[in-house]
């Protein structure tokens, strides 16, 4: 696909739902006299997550010659910290939701670079493409996985996909490792081809920026340990890889359980590029929440279990998602619009596994196959106009 502009969402359809929902959410903040940005909770999270990331890394050098298991465990804690930074700090900041100051958000968004990623590349993939064209084949790169994985019924099915519900979990753990070494660069070329990056000069600047940040990251988190730690080289490399396996698995599973489920849809535009539903309704149909009652889980994953609210109001900090989710679900119910919710994280994981299995067995999105497997693909949704 070379032009994303071919995708058009109807603007007049379901206008009452959208205007009502926006008014009610805005009234919640106005009536309670609170900001849509983060509260003091975000500063506690910053201390906790950055400490979890940097302190175990520092302990590797302070403790020096420790047992193999302690060494690997410390790298694992660094991986947990990286996932915590990504979910709780970087994510909101990249959506300009953490602070009123754009500069403060940009600064916190750069935390993506210190955990191995590249903030501008992630912004284009996540903010520009994923949030605008959720679950649309050819536009949402989040469902455009490696050949071994099939995330959409509109993608080509290979024989190996029959077993993807078994091996996908290991591939998920490789996500940040591949992003750090390869994907951040290949995505830039893909964005250029798609027209997301407009000029050669913009592409060149982004490529140089990515290379510079990668040099800094690898110098600190790989070269420095290799040069200074009094342990075998293979152990340091193993620890570095294990760190990314931990981060990759956590981040992948949390994000995948929000969109690749049996209850989510995979709509396509018609021949003229028009989508069936308004953008906001599209987000409801392609996204799911999970574990809505667990406050500690929501705190740990940066409110990413409330993906519906995040997709509808990405400029609002995740610290408010729990409260406004009641408004969104009630309004959706009032207008007869589907609101996807899994009662727990484990049920979302189970649902995701079932969806992977279904996608690995269905050849296309034909109605006869949809009757044979529990999967929703752009079926008509009753909406009160």
């Amino acid at each position: 696909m070379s032009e994303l502009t071919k995708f058009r969402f109807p603007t007049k359809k379901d206008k009452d739902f959208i205007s009502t929902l926006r008014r009610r959410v805005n009234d919640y903040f106005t009536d309670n006299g609170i900001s849509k940005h983060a509260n003091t909770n975000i500063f506690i999270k910053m201390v906790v997550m950055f400490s979890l990331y940097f302190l175990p890394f520092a302990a590797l050098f302070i403790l020096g010659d420790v047992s193999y298991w302690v060494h690997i465990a410390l790298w694992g804690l660094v991986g947990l910290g990286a996932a915590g930074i990504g979910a709780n700090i970087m994510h909101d900041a990249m959506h300009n939701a953490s602070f009123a100051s754009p500069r403060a958000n940009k600064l916190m968004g750069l935390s993506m670079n210190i955990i191995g990623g590249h903030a501008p590349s992630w912004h284009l993939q996540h903010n520009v493409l994923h949030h605008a064209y959720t679950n649309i084949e050819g536009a949402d790169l989040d469902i455009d996985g490696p050949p071994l994985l099939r995330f959409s019924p509109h993608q080509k099915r290979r024989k190996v996909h029959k077993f993807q519900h078994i091996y996908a979990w290991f591939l998920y753990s490789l996500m940040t490792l591949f992003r750090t070494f390869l994907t951040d660069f290949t995505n830039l070329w893909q964005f250029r081809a798609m027209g997301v990056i407009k000029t050669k000069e913009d592409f060149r600047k982004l490529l140089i920026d990515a290379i510079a940040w990668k040099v800094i990251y690898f110098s600190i988190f790989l070269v420095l340990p290799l040069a200074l730690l009094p342990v075998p080289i293979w152990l340091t490399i193993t620890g570095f890889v294990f760190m990314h396996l931990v981060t990759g698995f956590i981040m992948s599973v949390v994000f995948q359980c929000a969109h690749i489920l049996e209850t989510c849809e995979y709509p396509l535009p018609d021949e003229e590029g028009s989508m069936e539903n308004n953008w906001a309704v599209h987000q409801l149909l392609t996204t799911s929440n999970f574990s809505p009652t667990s406050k500690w889980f929501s705190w740990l994953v940066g409110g990413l279990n409330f993906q519906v609210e995040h997709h509808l109001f990405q400029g609002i900090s995740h610290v408010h998602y729990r409260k406004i989710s009641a408004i969104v679900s009630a309004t959706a119910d009032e207008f007869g619009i589907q609101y996807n919710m899994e009662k727990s994280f484990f049920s979302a994981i189970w649902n995701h596994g079932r969806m992977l299995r279904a996608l690995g067995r269905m050849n296309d999105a034909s109605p006869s196959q949809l009757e044979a497997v529990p999967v929703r693909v752009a079926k008509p949704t009753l909406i009160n106009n």
Side-chain angles (χ1 to χ4, degrees):
M1 182 186 64
S2 58
E3 295 184 2
L4 290 172
T5 53
K6 75 178 186 179
F7 293 103
R8 298 188 301 274
F9 293 93
T11 56
K12 295 182 179 180
K13 188 177 182 180
D14 307 311
K15 288 180 63 176
D16 289 343
F17 163 70
I18 297 165
S19 60
T20 300
L21 178 60
R22 287 174 177 169
R23 186 186 72 253
R24 290 174 178 176
V25 171
N26 287 331
D27 286 346
Y28 164 77
F29 289 98
T30 301
D31 294 344
N32 289 280
I34 56 178
S35 168
K36 294 181 180 180
H37 299 294
N39 50 33
T40 54
N41 186 19
I42 196 65
F43 296 103
I44 297 174
K45 286 193 171 190
M46 288 171 61
V47 172
V48 172
M49 299 307 170
F50 280 122
S51 296
L52 186 58
Y53 185 60
F54 286 110
L55 292 183
F57 183 70
L60 289 168
F61 297 89
I62 296 172
L63 297 179
D65 189 10
V66 294
S67 70
Y68 291 170
W69 293 112
V70 172
H71 186 88
I72 297 299
L74 288 173
W75 278 107
L77 289 176
V78 177
L80 287 175
I85 291 172
N88 289 276
I89 300 171
M90 178 278 295
H91 188 244
D92 263 17
M94 292 288 280
H95 285 287
N96 289 313
S98 289
F99 309 102
S101 167
R103 288 187 178 181
N105 283 315
K106 184 176 181 179
L107 178 62
M108 287 298 101
L110 291 178
S111 60
M112 180 63 168
N113 297 340
I114 67 173
I115 61 175
H118 181 232
S121 177
W122 189 88
H123 168 79
L124 293 176
Q125 177 181 338
H126 184 77
N127 292 37
V128 176
L129 295 179
H130 171 65
H131 272 268
Y133 311 105
T134 311
N135 277 17
I136 300 178
E137 170 62 19
D140 183 1
L141 294 191
D142 280 15
I143 63 170
D144 185 18
L148 287 176
L149 294 172
R150 187 187 192 216
F151 291 141
S152 168
H154 307 297
Q155 295 169 346
K156 178 182 178 180
R157 188 182 73 87
R158 296 176 171 84
K159 290 183 178 180
V160 69
H161 292 150
K162 185 177 181 180
F163 307 100
Q164 69 172 0
H165 62 290
I166 299 174
Y167 62 74
W169 312 99
F170 171 71
L171 295 182
Y172 288 167
S173 65
L174 300 176
M175 186 266 286
T176 62
L177 199 62
F178 270 88
R179 175 174 288 278
T180 301
F181 280 95
L182 181 64
T183 310
D184 278 331
F185 296 105
T186 58
N187 277 355
L188 291 178
W189 267 276
Q190 192 166 0
F191 298 149
R192 181 76 175 99
M194 297 171 73
V196 178
I197 299 176
K198 302 298 183 181
T199 67
K200 291 183 179 180
E201 180 63 19
D202 289 339
F203 173 79
R204 185 184 69 84
K205 289 180 179 179
L206 287 171
L207 183 60
I208 293 174
D209 185 71
I211 293 172
W213 277 107
K214 297 297 181 181
V215 170
I216 294 173
Y217 173 76
F218 284 119
S219 296
I220 296 174
F221 288 93
L222 187 57
V223 175
L224 200 62
L226 285 172
L228 300 181
L229 291 181
V231 298
I233 292 177
W234 68 264
L235 184 59
T236 296
I237 295 176
T238 300
F240 179 84
V241 171
F242 181 66
M243 170 190 68
H244 275 285
L245 295 182
V246 171
T247 306
F249 182 80
I250 294 173
M251 297 303 295
S252 293
V253 172
V254 169
F255 277 106
Q256 295 292 57
C257 285
H259 300 288
I260 314 299
L261 298 179
E262 297 171 331
T263 49
C264 294
E265 298 189 0
Y266 301 81
L268 290 177
D270 60 22
E271 294 181 356
E272 297 180 352
S274 297
M275 301 299 298
E276 177 184 0
N277 293 299
N278 185 289
W279 177 84
V281 175
H282 175 90
Q283 297 304 316
L284 281 161
L285 300 181
T286 57
T287 308
S288 179
N289 289 353
F290 49 87
S291 191
T293 61
S294 178
K295 292 183 179 181
W296 71 268
F297 178 78
S298 185
W299 192 91
L300 286 174
V301 300
L304 293 177
N305 55 320
F306 290 101
Q307 279 283 311
V308 172
E309 286 67 35
H310 171 59
H311 271 254
L312 290 173
F313 302 99
Q314 56 184 295
I316 296 177
S317 172
H318 72 268
V319 300
H320 306 295
Y321 290 165
R322 177 182 300 278
K323 294 293 186 180
I324 67 173
S325 67
I327 301 172
V328 176
S329 61
T331 306
D333 182 66
E334 179 182 332
F335 283 84
I337 300 175
Q338 176 181 316
Y339 183 89
N340 297 318
M341 176 75 75
E342 293 291 324
K343 63 180 181 180
S344 69
F345 185 40
F346 295 105
S347 67
I349 291 175
W350 181 260
N351 187 320
H352 176 61
R354 282 167 54 89
M355 186 60 186
L356 289 176
R357 187 175 185 274
L359 288 170
R361 283 161 168 74
M362 60 189 300
N363 290 323
D364 52 42
S366 65
S368 61
Q369 286 184 310
L370 291 179
E371 294 177 0
V373 294
V375 52
R376 294 173 55 86
V377 184
K379 290 183 178 180
T381 302
L382 296 178
I383 301 176
N384 297 328
N385 293 315

